[in-house]
């Protein structure tokens, strides 16, 4: 299989059509962005780390019967995925207060939450991805009641599976963002990526940030931190 026409170039990856209309060729990019792309830096080594990390995680989720778009990794920075109709929602689950949640609700960063908090953000760059609720999802015709239920159920299950996976490598899963898409037959399944770009990961012993906050907050070099996450995953799962 070969990449054909470029379908989409985003902040973290490029998507190409292939000979098979149901399969996309995804190329991860060596760049980091923050503030909805307003800040952007080249970052050698990031693409292969995220490609490997998300491939490994999506494979583990499949083993746990959590359906997702991942097909296979084809090179250091590339993978094949099922082409889906993306539901324009960023689904965030939070286990510990941090980031925008800590700021908006004045709940100190680091405070464990009594139960996982699920949030929806409308994926729309022009609107700056606003925080929305279920009624907004319906008014905007983004997803049906049934799809909202499926997305929530899957998100909570993914949270459980990921929390266990990271716990095993001495990392606390603080929060993460996922996206879902529809197959032609209407099945809703997990898409996009799960990487240190899209999760907050804190070292269990030291609370050190092992995620994109290193870049967002100018805490040091991002690549060695992502490498540490991959090393721990490889040690556990290879
Ligand atoms: P952004 O769009 O935020 O800049 P990316 O660079 O990660 O982010 O772009 C990847 C795009 O591909 C995202 O908009 C995402 O919704 C979309 N996408 C992810 N998985 C699939 C899939 N399986 N089918 C179609 N589109 C996908
Ligand atoms: P937040 O605290 O900034 O709202 O972020 C919550 C989680 O979602 C965090 O793990 C980072 C992730 N995230 C993304 O992956 N993409 C985004 O555009 C945003 C705003 C957050």
């Amino acid at each position: 299989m070969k990449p054909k026409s470029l379908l989409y170039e985003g902040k973290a990856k490029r998507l190409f059509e292939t000979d098979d209309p149901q399969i996309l060729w995804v190329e991860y990019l060596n760049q980091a962005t923050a503030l909805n792309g307003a800040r952007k830096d080249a970052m050698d080594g990031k693409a292969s780390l995220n490609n490997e990390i998300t491939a490994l995680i999506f494979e583990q989720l499949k083993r746990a019967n959590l359906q997702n778009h991942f097909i296979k990794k084809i090179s250091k920075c590339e993978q094949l995925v099922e082409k889906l109709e993306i539901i324009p929602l960023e689904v965030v689950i939070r286990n510990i207060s941090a980031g925008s949640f800590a700021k908006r609700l004045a709940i100190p960063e680091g405070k464990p939450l009594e139960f996982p908090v699920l949030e929806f953000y409308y994926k729309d760059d022009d609107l700056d991805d606003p925080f929305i609720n279920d009624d907004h999802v319906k008014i905007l015709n983004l997803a049906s009641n049934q799809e909202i239920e499926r997305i929530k159920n899957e998100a909570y299950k993914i949270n459980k599976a990921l929390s266990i996976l990271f716990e095993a490598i001495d990392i606390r899963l603080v929060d993460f963002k996922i996206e879902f898409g529809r197959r032609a037959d209407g099945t809703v399944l997990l898409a996009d990526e799960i990487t240190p770009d899209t999760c907050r990961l804190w070292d269990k012993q030291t609370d050190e940030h092992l995620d994109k906050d290193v870049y967002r907050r100018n805490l040091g070099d991002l690549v060695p931190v992502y490498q540490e996450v991959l090393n721990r995953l490889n040690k556990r799962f290879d």
Side-chain angles (χ1 to χ4, degrees):
M1 190 168 279
K2 285 199 176 103
K4 285 174 63 185
S5 53
L6 178 69
L7 178 69
Y8 176 82
E9 173 152 3
K11 297 183 284 285
K13 41 202 189 282
R14 286 192 193 111
L15 307 183
F16 297 89
E17 304 272 11
T18 63
D19 295 332
D20 185 334
Q22 287 172 346
I23 297 182
L24 291 181
W25 180 292
V26 182
E27 179 196 4
Y28 279 74
L29 304 175
N30 275 326
Q31 76 184 13
T33 64
L35 307 168
N36 211 354
R39 193 175 147 216
K40 181 157 105 178
D41 287 286
M43 200 106 358
D44 266 6
K46 176 173 175 281
S48 64
L49 290 166
N50 274 356
N51 187 41
E52 275 200 57
I53 290 170
T54 196
L56 193 152
I57 290 177
F58 275 58
E59 266 171 1
Q60 292 303 318
L61 291 176
K62 274 199 176 170
R63 284 191 183 191
N65 279 325
L66 291 160
Q67 274 186 298
N68 59 67
H69 73 165
F70 181 70
I71 299 173
K72 66 172 176 180
K73 187 166 161 275
I74 41 174
S75 77
K76 262 177 86 100
C77 301
E78 293 159 313
Q79 59 177 258
L80 298 179
V81 303
E82 256 186 82
K83 184 180 182 181
L84 302 175
E85 181 196 353
I86 292 292
I87 297 171
L89 285 175
E90 301 206 330
V91 182
V92 170
I93 294 224
R94 303 180 186 271
N95 298 306
I96 295 173
S97 173
S100 69
F101 176 92
K103 213 168 163 181
R104 190 171 59 241
L105 302 178
I107 297 178
E109 194 157 75
K111 189 177 188 300
L113 303 175
E114 258 174 71
F115 52 87
V117 172
L118 185 147
E119 299 173 343
F120 289 133
Y121 294 84
Y122 179 27
K123 227 171 106 67
D124 184 314
D125 283 345
D126 292 339
L127 297 177
D128 227 1
D129 300 345
F131 182 43
I132 58 172
N133 66 21
D134 296 26
D135 279 349
H136 298 143
V137 174
K138 280 184 263 170
I139 284 288
L140 289 165
N141 263 321
L142 305 181
S144 66
N145 274 327
Q146 212 186 347
E147 287 176 331
I148 294 172
E149 277 319 295
R150 156 96 177 158
I151 288 170
K152 287 184 176 177
N153 281 334
E154 287 293 292
Y156 287 124
K157 284 189 205 159
I158 292 164
N159 182 43
K160 275 206 183 126
L162 289 181
S163 296
I164 292 168
L165 185 153
F166 283 115
E167 168 78 25
I169 56 168
D170 268 343
I171 287 174
R172 288 199 286 165
L173 177 63
V174 173
D175 56 34
F176 61 96
K177 182 272 296 179
I178 46 182
E179 295 181 22
F180 292 85
R182 297 180 188 98
R183 281 192 182 125
D185 69 1
T187 320
V188 168
L189 64 159
L190 175 67
D192 203 48
E193 65 177 83
I194 297 179
T195 63
D197 272 8
T198 62
C199 301
R200 281 200 175 88
L201 305 170
W202 292 357
D203 181 85
K204 222 162 82 181
Q205 263 75 48
T206 64
D207 275 347
E208 184 192 350
H209 295 271
L210 300 173
D211 55 57
K212 200 161 96 172
D213 273 349
V214 167
Y215 173 73
R216 293 189 193 96
R217 302 180 184 191
N218 294 310
L219 300 174
D221 290 341
L222 176 148
V223 168
V225 163
Y226 284 25
Q227 184 70 60
E228 172 65 19
V229 173
L230 178 61
N231 291 349
R232 290 192 201 187
L233 285 168
N234 277 336
K235 212 166 147 196
R236 174 89 176 87
F237 293 105
D238 262 9

